[in-house]
Amino acid sequence: MRIAVLGGGHGCWAAAAELAENGHDVQWWRRDAAAHQALSAAGAITVRDHRGTRQVPVGDADGAIRPVTDLAEAVRGAALIVIPLPSTTHEDLVERLAPLLSDGQVVFLPPGTLGSVLFGKAMVDAGNSADVAFAETGTLPYLARKHGSTEVVVSGYATRLPTGVFPSRLAEEAFGVLREAYPSVETSEDGLSGALMNAGPIIHPPLIMMNAGPLEHFDAWDIHNEGTQPSIRRVTDALDAERIALREALGYGAPHFPLADHYAVDGEEWMYGRAAHEKLTDSGDWREKIDLLSHRYMLEDTRLGLSLLVSVGRWAGVPTPVAQGLLSMASAITGRDLYAEGRTLEGLGLAELSRDDLAQLLEEGFKS
């Protein structure tokens, strides 16, 4: 299958390498043309994971990842377009991508923070009437970190990826394409259901704000190791309970992938399998300097992710006091109104819709 991978982040490197290793025809686009040229000159990505260390060829030969610098070239003829980028990149990318999409393509946003609806709306705004499915899931398919200019370390691969499709009328065709690349995807009801599986806004905001002192004091701090303490876990559980209550109030069924299973050693299999938390802490790759004013845990998971939870809760009449409290605290830390800047139903123009109207939109999509 021809697949386009868009972006240059950690997950993009892991995606390009894994998909090429699995025999797909991968075209990889990123904005940084110089970085792509350096990678082409090196001739390969070095991948390190549980199977060892190996080289994945980069270049123009068959069986190699092909770096491209033209977005239209990258997506032309691709059955699947994978965008494993932070949601903070969506607004810029969607303006470039929306006019280029064509009938039958599937755009995969892992995870999306309701980016599926954002991208669908942008297509209509761009005057593009192609029938395109946008899928979003609860996490990246990879626990990955780049090491140097040509190496990526993957400490875990997702074993279960709850995924929703917008518009849901295209779900059957979309899942047929998705499972060729990611057999671990599991069906969620629609794009909003997929968005409400996103683990980032549940795990990261309590960890960064309740570790604010150590994060600002030490040169590097591992929020997943010494930063994960019982009091913080209790807040995480309370926040996740709000997410699950919201899903249930909207009529979305189990499994809800409670974050407690991420931490449990013998619990239900979570998105990265069992004992997923140990994969993070054992790798050592998450000991880092986190700038509370600029890190994606603040600007993506808190500003976009928590604002979405709070806004959907207000719309549905479901209280989200922990999410609201953390969002208010984050606004005080950053000196910004993160709800006003966030990805909310108001910002997407959906807050005035009735439940029936929103359900119809999620099923049918925007009308050209």
Side-chain angles (χ1 to χ4, degrees):
M1 184 166 63
R2 173 164 288 188
I3 299 176
V5 175
L6 308 185
H10 306 288
C12 303
W13 281 67
E18 185 199 32
L19 294 168
E21 280 197 297
N22 288 343
H24 297 291
D25 176 5
V26 176
Q27 300 198 127
W28 184 13
W29 173 88
R30 61 183 300 186
R31 279 172 279 231
D32 190 343
H36 253 358
Q37 290 171 353
L39 183 60
S40 295
I45 294 177
T46 300
V47 178
R48 282 199 287 129
D49 62 11
H50 64 284
R51 292 179 289 166
T53 302
R54 57 201 179 277
Q55 306 291 309
V56 180
V58 173
D60 294 327
D62 289 343
I65 300 166
R66 288 198 295 278
V68 296
T69 56
D70 181 77
L71 182 58
E73 178 187 353
V75 302
R76 189 180 301 119
L80 176 63
I81 299 166
V82 182
I83 309 177
L85 284 169
S87 299
T88 50
T89 67
H90 287 173
E91 279 77 5
D92 176 65
L93 180 59
V94 73
E95 290 188 8
R96 304 184 188 205
L97 184 62
L100 305 176
L101 298 172
S102 58
D103 280 326
Q105 290 185 310
V106 178
V107 178
F108 189 34
L109 304 165
T113 320
L114 210 54
S116 58
V117 172
L118 180 75
F119 276 69
K121 185 174 185 296
M123 281 193 65
V124 174
D125 293 342
N128 186 346
S129 60
D131 231 6
V132 175
F134 299 92
E136 59 179 279
T137 189
T139 190
L140 270 172
Y142 317 95
L143 294 172
R145 280 292 185 266
K146 274 187 63 189
H147 285 212
S149 60
T150 62
E151 182 179 16
V152 63
V153 176
V154 184
S155 54
Y157 292 87
T159 59
R160 302 181 69 188
L161 284 172
T163 301
V165 172
F166 175 80
S168 60
R169 62 181 173 82
L170 299 176
E172 183 176 355
E173 296 88 345
F175 277 105
V177 172
L178 286 166
R179 288 193 174 107
E180 285 193 47
Y182 293 103
S184 56
V185 297
E186 299 184 17
T187 304
S188 292
E189 292 89 343
D190 55 38
L192 179 56
S193 178
L196 293 175
M197 290 293 192
N198 191 351
I202 308 303
I203 190 170
H204 294 137
L207 284 177
I208 60 169
M209 279 176 279
M210 297 180 75
N211 281 286
L215 285 172
E216 292 190 331
H217 178 74
F218 294 110
D219 291 335
W221 184 256
D222 190 338
I223 58 172
H224 297 288
N225 193 351
E226 61 264 30
T228 299
Q229 299 299 328
S231 59
I232 299 175
R233 283 281 296 107
R234 289 193 290 272
V235 172
T236 303
D237 285 344
L239 178 59
D240 203 33
E242 293 180 357
R243 176 188 69 88
I244 293 172
L246 184 52
R247 285 183 52 81
E248 291 175 340
L250 293 174
Y252 295 134
H256 300 296
F257 287 81
L259 196 63
D261 289 337
H262 165 76
Y263 293 99
V265 176
D266 299 318
E268 291 294 319
E269 183 177 353
W270 198 66
M271 297 184 202
Y272 293 116
R274 290 183 174 83
H277 181 64
E278 279 69 20
K279 297 175 185 177
L280 283 175
T281 56
D282 290 350
S283 72
D285 275 342
W286 276 259
R287 183 171 301 282
E288 58 185 329
K289 181 64 176 178
I290 293 177
D291 184 335
L292 288 172
L293 301 183
S294 62
H295 198 273
R296 72 173 186 85
Y297 294 165
M298 182 67 80
L299 299 185
E300 179 185 21
D301 294 320
T302 306
R303 178 171 61 105
L304 301 184
L306 282 187
S307 68
L308 179 63
L309 276 178
V310 171
S311 81
V312 176
R314 290 177 180 176
W315 174 83
V318 177
T320 56
V322 178
Q324 178 63 73
L326 288 165
L327 190 61
S328 297
M329 184 183 299
S331 293
I333 289 171
T334 60
R336 300 161 60 174
D337 185 344
L338 298 186
Y339 186 86
E341 296 180 20
R343 185 165 294 172
T344 61
L345 294 186
E346 296 95 323
L348 291 168
L350 307 180
E352 300 304 317
L353 295 180
S354 67
R355 288 205 181 194
D356 287 345
D357 288 341
L358 181 59
Q360 183 176 9
L361 174 67
L362 292 169
E363 181 178 356
E364 298 295 331
F366 292 99
K367 301 301 182 185
S368 302

